[in-house]
Amino acid sequence: DSGVTQTPKHLITATGQRVTLRCSPRSGDLSVYWYQQSLDQGLQFLIQYYNGEERAKGNILERFSAQQFPDLHSELNLSSLELGDSALYFCASSVDQNQPQHFGDGTRLSIL
Amino acid sequence: DAKTTQPPSMDCAEGRAANLPCNHSTISGNEYVYWYRQIHSQGPQYIIHGLKNNETNEMASLIITEDRKSSTLILPHATLRDTAVYYCIVTSDDYKLSFGAGTTVTVRA
């Protein structure tokens, strides 16, 4: 158990819909990272927050957005969903930016 | 970020040491070498990391060559539960992890 909690574990929805994925970091961790893992793209970094502020962006689509709240939990919002958005979405957290990241078990998103 | 090269797959006998190589010839002075593994579709698990010196923890040892252009992850006594995809990642100031294809390690009884 990494200490990072992601909900829901599974999500099934339709094209065009909007979903929110939630992540609770390990106690004391200030940094939260989001990653997407699809069959054809592998594990890809999406975005990072540190103590509530966006710090780095990766290959995140404009239809996707994220935020980190004062209690340090984070949400990843995916809108106008397409079939290609079907993937595993992982959240990771770390104490500080230059420390190992610890991953949650992911949310499996299926778009029908 | 510096790129890494790993063999696509390797087999290991249960109870034996598993030595996983990684080349990172373009690594720069402030870049760390990180190792993660992913078992099936679970979240990646942190194993170990280092900058210049060899490192050891309860899971593994990391040997980094003097010129820092390559490293080896050593699992001292592989078990069936060590079967996973192992990722060698070089990261610097932006701290994001760039996962490649990794090495699929199969531990056989």
Side-chain angles (χ1 to χ4, degrees):
Chain A
D1 182 11
S2 68
V4 178
T5 304
Q6 290 189 247
T7 56
K9 293 191 185 306
H10 303 278
L11 199 49
I12 302 174
T13 188
T15 56
Q17 296 298 304
R18 172 188 171 94
V19 297
T20 297
L21 313 183
R22 182 187 169 98
C23 170
S24 294
R26 293 188 321 164
S27 177
D29 285 1
L30 298 178
S31 259
V32 170
Y33 310 76
W34 287 96
Y35 293 83
Q36 177 193 56
Q37 185 171 33
S38 58
L39 284 176
D40 57 344
Q41 294 289 330
L43 259 164
Q44 290 203 311
F45 167 76
L46 294 178
I47 197 164
Q48 178 211 355
Y49 280 82
Y50 178 79
N51 203 21
E53 294 192 2
E54 181 186 304
R55 279 300 176 94
K57 261 188 175 180
N59 299 322
I60 187 167
L61 300 172
E62 286 191 9
R63 300 184 286 109
F64 296 1
S65 64
Q67 53 185 328
Q68 186 180 27
F69 295 86
D71 67 353
L72 301 178
H73 91 271
S74 178
E75 293 181 354
L76 179 66
N77 300 297
L78 315 176
S79 61
S80 303
L81 287 168
E82 302 175 358
L83 293 176
D85 298 327
S86 293
L88 273 167
Y89 291 84
F90 290 106
C91 168
S93 73
S94 64
V95 172
D96 200 345
Q97 294 192 102
N98 194 19
Q99 294 296 320
Q101 296 176 31
H102 298 272
F103 286 74
D105 289 334
T107 293
R108 182 176 295 277
L109 176 64
S110 299
I111 313 299
L112 303 180
Chain B
D1 292 343
K3 301 299 181 188
T4 62
T5 303
Q6 300 177 251
S9 64
M10 62 184 295
D11 285 359
C12 175
E14 188 178 22
R16 304 295 294 270
N19 297 307
L20 283 64
C22 179
N23 286 324
H24 30 79
S25 58
T26 60
I27 193 170
S28 60
N30 64 341
E31 292 182 317
Y32 284 79
V33 179
Y34 276 80
W35 283 84
Y36 283 79
R37 72 181 183 184
Q38 187 174 26
I39 298 172
H40 196 46
S41 292
Q42 298 176 20
Q45 179 187 23
Y46 165 76
I47 302 173
I48 199 167
H49 76 287
L51 183 63
K52 296 179 183 177
N53 300 322
N54 298 337
E55 302 288 345
T56 295
N57 62 21
E58 65 279 4
M59 288 184 67
S61 295
L62 174 61
I63 309 298
I64 303 174
T65 58
E66 193 168 343
D67 63 8
R68 303 187 71 237
K69 292 185 177 182
S70 66
S71 60
T72 301
L73 177 74
I74 301 173
L75 307 178
H77 305 286
T79 70
L80 298 178
R81 289 181 297 178
D82 291 322
T83 292
V85 179
Y86 287 76
Y87 298 98
C88 169
I89 300 165
V90 172
T91 186
S92 59
D93 292 343
D94 58 9
Y95 312 120
K96 66 178 187 289
L97 301 176
S98 296
F99 289 82
T103 296
T104 299
V105 173
T106 303
V107 180
R108 302 191 186 279

